[in-house]
Amino acid sequence: AQIDQILVNGQDSSDTTEPIVSPQPLISWVFNNDPGSPNQVRYEIKVGSTSTNWGYDLFSGDIADINEESNAGSHKYNGFLLSRGTSYYAQLRLTDGNENRTSWYQFSFAINRLPFVTNFYLSPSVPTTMDHIDLIYSFYDADNHTQSGTKIRWFKNNIPVPAYDDLCTLPASATESGD
């Protein structure tokens, strides 16, 4: 019996270059048992902050040490939120109905760092009633992801104006003198 594939939040665990988004990951796997052999009855998952003894029984699951009697092909980590920008080391072992265990399968993953904006300002800085107002900013993502899903909210006299959500340009018709 063997484990054919391990996914972390739907991403192949062999691709450790792409950080995962959720700080509470879903770990899933495909158990491939020998023909005529019993199915999986238990899974063990250890997640640690260091790679010391990684792949062995002595590996410290200081983040998570899970030993479940289950034929499930996944486990949702529901512990404390894992730290963004941090790499984690994990291993998985399965047991079948004859108490045969797979070897430890190692995988690692990192949690995505949140992007941020800098140098933001409105242009022109002193608009007339005829000017469109542009939101200008610099976007930075330490994981080199392209910008997507950015939320922009406009307010008029401290009241949200949802009609202009996610727009970088506020039309001149949206404001009046003194707003």
Side-chain angles (χ1 to χ4, degrees):
Q2 66 183 26
I3 300 169
D4 281 343
Q5 184 178 36
I6 300 173
L7 302 174
V8 182
N9 283 3
Q11 290 178 207
D12 191 327
S13 65
S14 64
D15 180 10
T16 59
T17 60
E18 185 64 29
I20 63 168
V21 175
S22 172
Q24 290 184 307
L26 173 67
I27 300 167
S28 57
W29 56 89
V30 175
F31 178 61
N32 187 2
N33 60 334
D34 300 322
S37 295
N39 290 327
Q40 167 195 321
V41 296
R42 174 176 300 284
Y43 64 85
E44 299 169 75
I45 300 172
K46 292 183 179 188
V47 179
S49 56
T50 70
S51 62
T52 304
N53 295 315
W54 191 27
Y56 298 96
D57 287 337
L58 293 175
F59 175 68
S60 172
D62 61 324
I63 304 298
D65 194 343
I66 299 136
N67 190 335
E68 294 283 332
E69 191 168 316
S70 171
N71 65 354
S74 65
H75 179 83
K76 174 73 173 164
Y77 170 76
N78 288 316
F80 63 88
L81 296 179
L82 299 178
S83 298
R84 293 192 175 278
T86 301
S87 291
Y88 294 95
Y89 303 90
Q91 59 189 39
L92 169 67
R93 179 168 65 186
L94 305 177
T95 305
D96 70 15
N98 288 336
E99 295 297 315
N100 295 316
R101 292 182 182 165
T102 65
S103 57
W104 284 109
Y105 283 74
Q106 301 165 255
F107 59 101
S108 64
F109 59 91
I111 307 297
N112 182 52
R113 292 170 282 191
L114 293 176
F116 60 92
V117 298
T118 59
N119 304 320
F120 51 91
Y121 60 94
L122 298 177
S123 177
S125 58
V126 183
T128 68
T129 56
M130 302 302 293
D131 289 328
H132 297 302
I133 301 172
D134 294 314
L135 171 62
I136 312 295
Y137 61 88
S138 298
F139 175 85
Y140 179 75
D141 187 302
D143 297 313
N144 295 317
H145 295 130
T146 57
Q147 181 178 342
S148 69
T150 301
K151 300 292 182 195
I152 297 171
R153 299 296 179 256
W154 292 95
F155 292 78
K156 183 174 184 176
N157 300 323
N158 293 322
I159 299 172
V161 186
Y164 303 114
D165 281 357
D166 303 325
L167 297 179
C168 285
T169 300
L170 188 63
S173 61
T175 63
E176 299 171 8
S177 181
D179 286 345

